[in-house]
Amino acid sequence: MTTISFALQVLVCVSLIGSSLELTYPKNKYVLVNNTLELYWEIVDQNITFALKLNSTKGWAGVGIGSSMTGADIITMELINGQIIINDRYSSGRGLPPLDTSRGGSNSVTLLESDITGGFIQARFTRNLNTTDASDVVITQAPTNFIYAYGLGDSIAYHTQANRGTFNLDLTPSKSGALLSIGLMLVVALLSFI
């Protein structure tokens, strides 16, 4: 094997490490409920982008920052009259969490894109890590507790125990960028010997 072909193989390998197969989704994935609900996320600068993907053509899903409904900062995705709606909510206990705007806060979530195709309801949305809204939790780049719930009905309603849960995501910045930089330095070093 020549030095040039080895360097090209390394370059191809590094390119694959840095690429994404699902270009419209943030790069990190967490399967909340096998074959039913998936969460994607990515932090860029002072913003976090999420995507929710529900394996259904009707229904709703919500994900919240917190370890229980009490005090959770919740974002809901629901299908209303064929349109996907994203809402920013805050929960002070059990029941349908009110919109932040009804509590004097603001809607800190921006819908980037949404779609209902292939048997899925899916939406990608973003917000600042620190919105300065009293109804929003400051998101830190550290292990973070989350809650989720979903339903397959026409509107947000009570969810069974099987349709809700808690999980922890490590939102610490990814080291994949460092791996990509090291790989590119290796290619440059190999090419300089040619």
Side-chain angles (χ1 to χ4, degrees), residues 1-172:
M1 177 184 300
T2 67
T3 304
I4 293 174
S5 67
F6 176 75
L8 289 175
Q9 286 178 352
V10 170
L11 181 60
V12 169
C13 180
V14 169
S15 295
L16 290 175
I17 290 170
S19 68
S20 173
L21 297 176
E22 296 177 310
L23 297 177
T24 59
Y25 286 105
K27 67 180 180 176
N28 303 297
K29 178 180 176 181
Y30 189 85
V31 177
L32 299 170
V33 182
N34 195 25
N35 296 321
T36 303
L37 185 62
E38 297 175 356
L39 173 72
Y40 299 78
W41 81 96
E42 182 173 14
I43 295 174
V44 177
D45 298 324
Q46 294 301 308
N47 297 303
I48 186 163
T49 300
F50 291 105
L52 276 174
K53 184 177 180 180
L54 180 64
N55 187 1
S56 178
T57 55
K58 74 175 200 176
W60 60 272
V63 63
I65 303 155
S67 53
S68 72
M69 288 280 296
T70 303
D73 181 6
I74 298 174
I75 300 169
T76 56
M77 171 184 77
E78 57 187 311
L79 186 60
I80 300 175
N81 298 323
Q83 184 178 2
I84 297 172
I85 305 296
I86 297 294
N87 282 308
D88 187 7
R89 300 173 179 271
Y90 184 84
S91 178
S92 56
R94 293 179 184 222
L96 179 62
L99 298 173
D100 283 8
T101 54
S102 72
R103 298 170 33 93
S106 62
N107 181 9
S108 305
V109 179
T110 302
L111 178 64
L112 300 173
E113 64 180 334
S114 62
D115 197 16
I116 310 164
T117 56
F120 296 100
I121 299 170
Q122 46 201 343
R124 187 169 62 96
F125 46 92
T126 191
R127 65 159 269 195
N128 291 335
L129 295 175
N130 183 358
T131 66
T132 68
D133 186 334
S135 297
D136 291 334
V137 173
V138 175
I139 299 174
T140 59
Q141 296 186 45
T144 305
N145 291 320
F146 283 84
I147 60 173
Y148 74 90
Y150 70 96
L152 303 179
D154 290 328
S155 61
I156 297 176
Y158 176 75
H159 46 76
T160 65
Q161 286 189 347
N163 292 9
R164 67 176 169 89
T166 62
F167 61 101
N168 187 281
L169 286 182
D170 187 351
L171 300 177
T172 305

